[in-house]
Structures are given as structure tokens and as C-alpha cells.
Amino acid sequence: MPKVTIDDITIEVPAGTTILEAARQIGVNVPPAMCYYSKLKGSGGKCRVCLVKVTKGSDKDPRPMPKLVASCRTTVMDGMEVRNVTSPEVIEARRGVVEFLLVNHPLDCPICDQAGECHLQDLSYDHGLSKSRYDFERRTFERIDIGDKIQLHMNRCILCYRCTQVAEQLTPERKHGVLYRGEVSEISTFIATAVDNEFSGNMIDVCPVGALTDKTFRFKSRVWFTKPMYAHRNCPTCSGKVALWYQGEEVLRVTSRKDKWGESEGFICNECRFDKKNTSDWTIEGPAPVDRHSVISQNHYELPYELPVNQKKLSN
Amino acid sequence: MGRKLLLENLDKPEINTIDGYIKYGGYRALEKALKSMTPDEVTEEVKKSGLRGRGGAGFPTGMKWSFLDKSTDKPRYLLCNADESEPGTFKDRLLMEKIPHLLVEGMIVSSYALGCRTSYIYIRGEYMFILRILEKAIAEAYAKGYLGQNILGTGYSLDLHVHPGAGAYICGEETALIESLEGKRGNPRIKPPFPAIAGLYNCPTIVNNVESIAAVVPIVNNGGEDYAKIGIGKSTGTKLISASGNINKPGVYEIELGVSVEEFIYSDEYCGGIANGLDIKACVPGGSSVPILPKDLLFKQSDGSPRLMTYESLSEGGFATGSMLGSGGFIVFDEKACIVRNTWNFARFYHHESCGQCSPCREGTGWMERVLHNIEYGHGKMEDIDLLWDIQRKIEGNTICPLGDAAAWPVAAAIRHFRHEFEYHVKYPHRVFDADHVYQPEMKMQTV
């Protein structure tokens, strides 16, 4: 098995593992990922925030790679040495990419439903500048409904292509994709065709920003005022394993369970997501584990909970 | 007078028909290769010739061919990149328009060397009239038995198709070209895997420029060693240069690599000097994406020796003092040209052509264009120049495909060599308000 050294920590991983996956196995200083999604084939390589520096290609060919590489799409070689947070060049490039991502992204976090669980928000806190140097008009779009449950707000989209990959890989036919090119390219349906199939709701879960939002949850509450609980039901279409987001006794929304990296553990069907909003529909397992540093844990979990069932899942 | 290999018969009558082409020695390479050479021998000749990719990157063609994965039993494909979209480059157009059979013959010989059964010419959508010329040439070749089943009784079969793009610069990038040919959105793929391993329909694929493929014909005819005799060092053979801008004789010229830049611009055989008796200010030697060179660096290398039209000499000293031969789009600017306006124009092109897949290029190209537009039209600020420098630095090298670099390099070079013109624009906004304004050096003295 190839051995790779990332920021001076060595780990042995199966052949074919990407640098990002190896870093996730190490667990510290993991490169951020806006477009890569381990469950979606062909994702990654587009947003460029996960750029890392390969200072030694492999034992066989120790030459460093000439450019920074996208860690989510570069597989490790035996003896490879990678610099992530220990390379000023990488940090500089990442700051640049975050600035580019924010060029056309409105900072409307106070009214955005994704705030609190937005990857771009986290990223700009870590790497962004406090002031934008871009003083031109931003591109703007009209909001469009794709289906009766999902709303697309293109202004916030960072074109990670994850939702088109969900449509391609989870649903029988793809009805939306990317139109036009360059900075005016947009995610859209073919002449406002509704995206209507039983797994379309997963587009909301994979969206790293607030471009695709759940219309049944829009403006109901801030995520940090809701309390996630794990629950399951016998669902004929999907695994039925979900997270319920409670405010008081009321289920405000249902999402798939997210792992440590913000990725769905298992995709869920639209019936579970949009139609089962009563506690009586579900068997409650217990509170969802929330990262201590997440805003969602504010006011809720002063002590880290011990969850034998879910802890096991996380360590996998 | 230099030797001509590709455009030798350009002015011969009926050279665009198969009979005219055969009359002047056409399809000899095809017969020679198929009847008396093995595919590996053809590849060996191309390697010996030292031919370097003529599309811009200058990667040795023979070496590229040797990367083709021959271990699988999947079909292999040869794609000809005729998506010539680089501003300032129009050499392939002339070649395909006037001598289409040279490309067809080159495609057959190259496909034979690589063991391809189906090959494609991917041509840009704007060249629709050339598509018809090529289709006519291919039909003639089929009729003569140079294409199709069992070519000339040798048992080798090949089908050749022409496919038009829809007019996108990005489809000239080899993996975007493959995506487009497959019928998808022309987004570049993330490499590795390289096309030589998994290209068109996930099969081993080689993508070559029109001129590279055409050059295979004289290489097979005269032998690789004969081809390598022309040129200097690792820049062998002849190169088509598309000369444009403020020169007396714009056009496509076939030069032996190694001609000095000064001779190319001032000799009557080539550009014939600067138009209207003016002096030269700068030159972009290899198409819009390569760095611009000011007059003092254009004719002399940093060590004082004359700069030659070769891959090495033009890139001497890296980007600090050099540029690139690129695709041979030689654009000359006289002393009345405005470098800021030209840089803005290039930036506008890259903004328009960015595919929008990766963030630095998608957002950065538009940003650069807007800042440059402000400076050019007298709304610029001094810190905008540093901002531009910072933006281009963050695009360069951080994108999926070389379009990001291509957008960043001209801006970087313009600021590096012509910063005073940018400052002039910022300091004297009322003067640059005219569309035909010119930078006046004496203004530099009256600093505020």
C-alpha cells in the first residue's frame, strides 16, 4: 500500500486513494472541498480550494509537481510528500480562490437559509478577506422554482456541478444542467421543466451554498435554533435513515445524515424529506452528533454527548 | 530564400483537387508509408525529425505518439485539432483552404503509424466553408481508394470524418475537444488520465494540430533526418507564422526555424517592415496568449545575442525577458498602438471564452477585463494596476486547463514591460478618452 506524507504526517492508504481522502483519514489539516463529493462519481477538481503542493512526486520519481494540484482528484503515489497548510504558497492560492468564489457570491448570509451550515461561509471565515476588492456590479438572476419543493437561487451558486451529478447518478433522467459559459453560466432546467423525481431533493443536501433550498423550510428558522435528531422509518424507496430538525416539538425539515465532512451518509427519497414531518412517522434514535465548533451546537450541547451507535459510524 | 515543405506548391493550379495534388507529388508519402514501412518505422521517422507540436505547447510529436497506450484492445483514435481560435493565428486555415489533401494525406499516414481505424478532424464552427472543402477532399480520397477499406491493397483500413465545433475557443484544448466530439458540453477534463490513455470514448487518443499532421508528409517523404537538418537545436523543421498587425505584408509565411526576428520583420521576403514608416513598439510572437515583448527585448536576447524564431530563443530567460513561439500568431504593434487597449482586448476575449468550470478562470477573467476597461477608458486608479497583477498571479497555474494561464500571461507581461502606459492612463484620464489615443513618452517626465 502506498505511503503518503501530508504536512509531515505519514499514512498508509490503499492504492487509488486521492490526497484529499488520505488527508481525511489523517483527520487534521484537511483541505477544504466545495465541489468534491465522495459519493458522486466525477465530482471535484472544479472549485480549486483544495489545491495542495506536491513537493515529492513519489519514491520512483521524486520530482515535485510543477503546479499546485487539486487534492480531490490527484491519487497518491508511494512516497509522495504533500504540503497543505504548511505551504505559504498553498494558503495564498486558497485565499485567491476564496476571493474569486466571493466575487459573484452575495454576502446575504443574514437572510440565507444555508447560513450556519454553509461551506463557503466557513471557508471565507478561514481564508477570506474582510473587504472585497471587486467593485463592479454582480451578476444577478431571477429565482426559479425547479419542482414544487426546490427553489434555485442562482446568485448564490458557485457552479460546483454537484446537483447536476446527483441528477445524473441518482435519478432516472437528468432534466437540468449548466447553460451558457464563463461567469454567466447558470444551473437551469430545460425551459423551466420541473425536476420531478423521487430523489431530486438530494440536490439540496449536496449544494455547498444556499443556491438550492428546501421550499418547505425556507425562512422558517435559522439552523442554529433547530435541534437535529437522528431517526428512521421503514421506507420502501430509500434507507429511511434521516436527521430531523426540531424546533420545540415541531419538525421543521428533514435532511439526510451528514458525516464529518458535510457529506450525506445515505441519500434519501423525497417522501421522507418533504412529506413526513410528524414525530409519529419516525422512530427517534437520539440527538445527532454535532461538531463542537459548529454554530449548530451553540446553546444546545454544552457537553459532548456519548452516542455509541453513531460514534461507530463516524469512526468508519 | 528558406526551404518550404508545406506551402511549396501553394500557388500551383488546381492544388486543391486530388489530381492537381498528385501531379505535384502528392500521396507519395502515403504509398511509401503503407507499402514499404511498418507503423513503428513511421513513428521512428517522426521522432528522428524532432517535430514539435505546432499548436502552441511545442511538445515533441514523436514522443506524444509513443505515449499512446497500445496494450489495450480498445480502438485508438487520432484527432486533428483544427479548432484554430487563438487570436492572431490563421495558418491552419490557409493550409486547409488551399491544400486540403496535405492534411488528408497526413491524417492517413499518421493514423497508420498509430494503428487507428477511425480518425476525426475537429474543425471550428466558424470555418464552415473549409469543412466543405475538406469533405470534398475526403470524398475524392475515398474515390481514389486512399481511404476506406483495404487502402491500396495493403489491408489497412481507415475512415476519416470532419466534425465542426460550435465556435468555442476552449474546444481547442484537447480534452475539451474530446468532450465536444463526444457530444457533451466542451469542458476540459481533469488530467490525469491523459488522452493517450483514456481519451475519446475512454479509448487511447492522440490529438495533434493541423500543421503537425501536415508536417508528417514531408517527414515521411524525405526522411526524419532530412527534416531535422532544418532549424537550430531542438527547434527543427519549418513553421508557419501568421503575421499580422502594423506590418507592410501581413500573411502566412513558412519560415525555417532559426530565422532571426529582425529578419522576419524587416526583410521583404516576410513582413516587409513596419507599415507607414513608423517604428515598432512591441510584438506578441506566438498568438494572443503569450507574453508581449517590447522592442528592446524583441530583437536581442538578454545576453545580447540576436533573438531567433525558435522555441528556445523566444522563451529565453523565462517570462522576465522572453515569451513563447506558441502557435505562431505573430502580432506586431507600431509606436502608435496602445498597449493597454490591446491588453484589454485580449482580456475581453478570454473573459468571453472562459468555460466557467473552475472558479479562478470563471471569476478572474471577467474581473481583469472590467479593471482593464476602467483603466483604458480613464476611470482607473493607481492601485488597480497592482490589483490586476494580483488577480493574474492567482489565476495562473491554479486552473484545470491552460486557458487560465493564457488569460493571465498577456496581462502580466503588459504590466511587466509597459507599466508606464498603465500609469499614463491613470494619470491623464482626459487624454485617453479618445479612441485613438497614444501613449506619449514626454508625459512621463511631467509627473504629478
Side-chain angles (χ1 to χ4, degrees), chain A residues 2 11 24 72 111 130 159 199 222 224 247 252 262 308:
Chain A
I11 189 171
R24 283 184 177 182
C72 61
I111 55 149
S130 55
L159 287 163
F199 281 90
R222 310 299 327 200
W224 54 89
Q247 191 169 48
L252 287 187

Side-chain angles (χ1 to χ4, degrees), chain A residues 24 32-37 49 98 101 114-126 158 162 205-210 258-263:
Chain A
R24 283 184 177 182
M34 295 298 291
C35 65
Y36 171 77
Y37 208 77
V49 292
V98 173
L101 285 174
Q114 191 83 3
E117 49 182 14
C118 174
H119 293 210
L120 188 58
Q121 205 177 21
D122 298 347
L123 202 60
S124 46
Y125 270 109
D126 287 348
I158 57 155
R162 277 180 186 175
D205 279 355
V206 300
C207 186
V209 292
K258 300 281 178 77
D259 66 12
K260 214 168 155 186
W261 316 111
E263 293 185 5

Side-chain angles (χ1 to χ4, degrees), chain B residues 54 91 211 238-241 253-255 257 311 326-328:
Chain B
R54 299 299 195 222
K91 62 189 175 64
E211 195 190 339
T238 62
K239 171 97 186 75
L240 300 183
I241 304 287
Y253 297 101
E254 182 166 10
I255 60 158
L257 286 171
Y311 289 97
S327 58

Side-chain angles (χ1 to χ4, degrees), chain A residues 47-209:
Chain A
C47 67
R48 317 305 283 182
V49 292
C50 69
L51 290 173
V52 292
K53 190 173 175 61
V54 177
T55 49
K56 181 184 165 194
S58 66
D59 279 340
K60 268 189 208 155
D61 181 6
R63 286 175 303 168
M65 291 192 185
K67 290 177 179 177
L68 303 182
V69 297
S71 60
C72 61
R73 287 295 289 262
T74 311
T75 48
V76 300
M77 307 293 271
D78 195 23
M80 186 185 260
E81 281 172 21
V82 181
R83 295 252 159 238
N84 176 24
V85 291
T86 48
S87 161
E89 197 186 333
V90 170
I91 300 296
E92 186 64 20
R94 197 167 287 157
R95 284 171 68 103
V97 174
V98 173
E99 191 177 11
F100 286 132
L101 285 174
L102 293 175
V103 157
N104 272 314
H105 186 91
L107 292 181
D108 60 350
C109 306
I111 55 149
C112 174
D113 278 308
Q114 191 83 3
E117 49 182 14
C118 174
H119 293 210
L120 188 58
Q121 205 177 21
D122 298 347
L123 202 60
S124 46
Y125 270 109
D126 287 348
H127 299 281
L129 301 166
S130 55
K131 190 174 171 292
S132 176
R133 295 188 292 172
Y134 183 85
D135 51 7
F136 300 92
E137 201 176 308
R138 265 86 170 151
R139 53 165 204 175
T140 46
F141 300 88
E142 291 294 311
R143 268 168 252 184
I144 56 168
D145 291 332
I146 44 177
D148 56 344
K149 299 284 180 6
I150 307 169
Q151 189 169 70
L152 169 65
H153 197 12
M154 249 325 281
N155 288 1
R156 294 176 186 148
C157 178
I158 57 155
L159 287 163
C160 68
Y161 286 59
R162 277 180 186 175
C163 59
T164 63
Q165 277 149 354
V166 163
E168 218 163 39
Q169 293 166 30
L170 285 167
T171 63
E173 61 176 330
R174 182 173 131 183
K175 282 186 180 148
H176 79 295
V178 179
L179 303 180
Y180 315 119
R181 68 181 179 208
E183 59 177 11
V184 293
S185 47
E186 55 175 299
I187 302 283
S188 187
T189 54
F190 179 63
I191 316 180
T193 313
V195 176
D196 181 23
N197 57 62
E198 55 202 5
F199 281 90
S200 63
N202 291 298
M203 285 195 273
I204 302 165
D205 279 355
V206 300
C207 186
V209 292

Side-chain angles (χ1 to χ4, degrees), chain B residues 13-222:
Chain B
E14 308 225 311
I15 191 74
N16 59 342
T17 65
I18 196 159
D19 294 328
Y21 183 65
I22 291 173
K23 194 172 148 196
Y24 295 103
Y27 287 105
R28 270 192 302 134
L30 170 76
E31 297 209 16
K32 185 179 174 189
L34 264 65
K35 287 188 173 161
S36 65
M37 294 168 87
T38 65
D40 287 343
E41 278 169 7
V42 179
T43 309
E44 201 48 47
E45 286 302 319
V46 174
K47 269 192 195 168
K48 263 192 241 165
S49 74
L51 172 68
R52 292 172 66 168
R54 299 299 195 222
F59 192 79
T61 306
M63 199 193 283
K64 194 175 195 177
W65 285 11
S66 64
F67 290 151
L68 187 72
D69 183 10
K70 292 187 173 163
S71 59
T72 67
D73 48 4
K74 285 180 184 170
R76 301 168 206 150
Y77 295 101
L78 172 68
L79 310 183
C80 172
N81 186 345
D83 192 89
E84 182 183 47
S85 323
E86 180 95 349
T89 311
F90 41 87
K91 62 189 175 64
D92 297 345
R93 170 185 168 159
L94 181 89
L95 200 65
M96 292 186 289
E97 199 179 335
K98 300 287 183 192
I99 326 177
H101 283 284
L102 188 63
L103 176 61
V104 174
E105 186 181 6
M107 282 300 282
I108 302 168
V109 175
S110 310
S111 302
Y112 173 72
L114 296 166
C116 309
R117 293 300 161 111
T118 313
S119 296
Y120 296 91
I121 299 171
Y122 183 93
I123 191 162
R124 67 186 295 213
E126 290 89 338
Y127 283 177
M128 217 52 173
F129 65 106
I130 300 179
L131 175 110
R132 301 211 177 88
I133 295 172
L134 283 172
E135 278 184 337
K136 184 169 155 269
I138 289 170
E140 286 174 338
Y142 267 105
K144 282 264 182 199
Y146 292 144
L147 274 170
Q149 297 296 311
N150 196 10
I151 298 169
L152 302 176
T154 53
Y156 175 68
S157 308
L158 175 72
D159 282 314
L160 181 58
H161 305 280
V162 195
H163 186 90
Y169 176 67
I170 191 64
C171 291
E173 200 274 343
E174 57 179 8
T175 53
L177 188 153
I178 289 169
E179 288 277 303
S180 172
L181 198 55
E182 286 180 3
K184 299 177 194 154
R185 187 184 158 83
N187 278 358
R189 292 179 184 171
I190 294 142
K191 288 175 269 188
F194 288 92
I197 311 294
L200 186 65
Y201 309 122
N202 224 5
C203 299
T205 305
I206 295 290
V207 186
N208 279 137
N209 180 256
V210 171
E211 195 190 339
S212 316
I213 287 175
V216 172
V217 175
I219 288 169
V220 170
N221 271 334
N222 308 332

